[in-house]
């Protein structure tokens, strides 16, 4: 957040911190949030143990790590709504990635689940593509996350695709939630041409070539870095219509 406000690049900050051999460069890259079954569980165990030992300050410290992770997911999802002119009702949003990290079909505690829930509650229509997560798992996670909603109603708002190109067709925006290598090699000119305009891309894993995307015409938002606005977008903000 500090980097975005000041114009710094979180990648450069992480590289500098990573030169300290006591830390190393791993796990320093900014993202929409961590997931998986282990890390959060281990942190919660630390909170519990600290509280049992009457170490309230220590417990509060580790609880804050969890709280900040939840806030990061909320902040990222909220930015999608804000940048899409503060409404995503009936807007088609393509989500690239649903697993909590690349090279797995594991969705436990995946940030994509939270982001999906947030966007669905705001009225979006989600079109999801993940190379490994099965369709039944995606629907199970979303229905479980939204117990007060009609399961059939959730399914009407979500479509799972077999490739990224079909997911992005006629979309208002792309939201990248998993750092699959595939997403760095897609033909984004082809994707851009198939989308509604203005076309937005929200890179929650900071894996794409943002300057190249801006040159194509995308309006790009990412984590931990301020991206220059596409000149093709500047005229849209003052001429928004119901098609957006």
């Amino acid at each position: 957040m500090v980097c975005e406000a000041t114009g710094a690049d979180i990648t450069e900050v992480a590289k500098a911190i990573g030169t300290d051999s006591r830390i190393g460069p791993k796990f320093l890259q900014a993202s929409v949030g961590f997931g998986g079954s282990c890390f959060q569980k281990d942190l919660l165990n630390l909170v519990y143990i600290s509280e049992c030992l009457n170490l309230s300050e220590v417990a509060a410290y580790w609880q804050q790590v969890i709280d900040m992770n939840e806030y990061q997911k909320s902040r990222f999802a909220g930015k999608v709504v804000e940048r899409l002119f503060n409404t995503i009702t009936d807007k088609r949003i393509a989500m690239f990635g649903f697993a909590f990290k690349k090279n797995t079909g594991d969705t436990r505690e995946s940030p994509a689940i939270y982001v999906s829930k947030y966007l669905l509650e705001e009225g979006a229509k989600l079109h999801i593509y993940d190379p490994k997560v099965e369709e039944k798992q995606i629907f199970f996670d979303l229905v479980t996350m939204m117990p007060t909603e009609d399961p059939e109603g959730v399914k009407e708002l979500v479509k799972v695709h077999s490739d990224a190109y079909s997911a992005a067709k006629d979309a208002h925006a792309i939201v990248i939630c998993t750092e699959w290598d595939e997403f760095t090699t897609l033909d984004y000119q082809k994707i851009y041409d198939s989308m509604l305009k203005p076309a937005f891309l929200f890179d929650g894993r900071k894996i794409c070539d943002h300057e190249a995307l801006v040159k194509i015409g995308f309006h790009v938002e990412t984590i931990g870095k301020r991206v220059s606005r596409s000149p093709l977008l500047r005229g849209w903000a003052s001429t928004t219509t119901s098609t957006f």
Side-chain angles (χ1 to χ4, degrees):
M1 290 175 282
V2 175
C3 289
E4 293 171 21
T6 61
D9 188 332
I10 191 66
T11 301
E12 296 177 3
V13 175
K15 182 178 179 180
I17 296 174
T19 59
D20 187 333
S21 60
R22 296 168 300 175
I23 301 173
K26 294 182 178 180
F27 304 114
L28 287 175
Q29 294 301 317
S31 77
V32 64
F34 62 78
S37 62
C38 297
F39 191 43
Q40 179 164 302
K41 172 177 62 66
D42 292 341
L43 288 174
L44 289 170
N45 284 335
L46 281 172
V47 172
Y48 175 75
I49 292 170
S50 299
E51 289 177 340
C52 289
L53 295 173
N54 294 318
L55 299 173
S56 57
E57 292 83 3
V58 178
Y61 175 88
W62 292 115
Q63 181 62 52
Q64 188 62 26
V65 174
I66 297 172
D67 293 344
M68 283 301 297
N69 189 54
E70 293 302 308
Y71 172 66
Q72 182 75 329
K73 292 182 284 187
S74 175
R75 189 176 76 96
F76 179 72
K79 183 181 288 189
V80 175
V81 178
E82 178 186 347
R83 294 296 187 266
L84 289 173
F85 311 101
N86 290 311
T87 178
I88 57 172
T89 301
D90 291 330
K91 289 181 179 178
R92 176 168 173 162
I93 297 178
M95 178 170 287
F96 287 3
F98 203 79
F100 84 89
K101 66 176 183 179
K102 69 177 183 178
N103 300 328
T104 181
D106 193 344
T107 62
R108 287 175 291 180
E109 301 295 337
S110 174
I113 301 174
Y114 179 91
V115 174
S116 296
K117 177 178 181 292
Y118 190 108
L119 299 178
L120 287 172
E121 289 177 341
E122 290 289 331
K125 295 180 179 179
L126 293 186
H127 291 254
I128 301 172
Y129 166 66
D130 187 284
K132 283 197 173 182
V133 181
E134 296 183 358
E135 180 175 342
K136 63 180 180 181
Q137 183 64 49
I138 291 174
F139 282 119
F140 174 81
D141 288 331
L142 294 180
V143 170
T144 301
M145 178 64 81
M146 305 175 71
T148 61
E149 299 293 329
D150 176 17
E152 293 304 317
V154 173
K155 292 180 180 180
E156 289 180 2
L157 296 173
V158 178
K159 182 176 180 180
V160 179
H161 292 258
S162 59
D163 65 89
Y165 296 101
S166 64
K169 188 177 186 300
D170 295 327
H172 293 85
I174 296 168
V175 177
I176 299 176
C177 286
T178 310
E179 70 281 22
W180 287 102
D181 294 339
E182 174 185 339
F183 299 154
T184 67
T185 61
L186 294 171
D187 184 345
Y188 280 99
Q189 181 66 64
K190 177 180 177 181
I191 289 174
Y192 177 81
D193 292 342
S194 75
M195 294 176 64
L196 299 180
K197 308 299 186 294
F200 291 78
L201 188 144
F202 299 86
D203 187 354
R205 293 293 180 173
K206 201 171 179 290
I207 59 173
C208 293
D209 184 339
H210 301 137
E211 297 309 315
L213 291 172
V214 169
K215 289 180 180 179
I216 289 173
F218 281 100
H219 177 54
V220 180
E221 297 285 344
T222 189
I223 300 289
K225 177 184 176 182
R226 184 188 299 164
V227 180
S228 299
R229 173 174 290 190
S230 169
L232 298 178
L233 180 70
R234 292 168 186 162
W236 288 98
S238 59
T239 59
T240 56
T241 69
S242 59
T243 59
F244 297 164

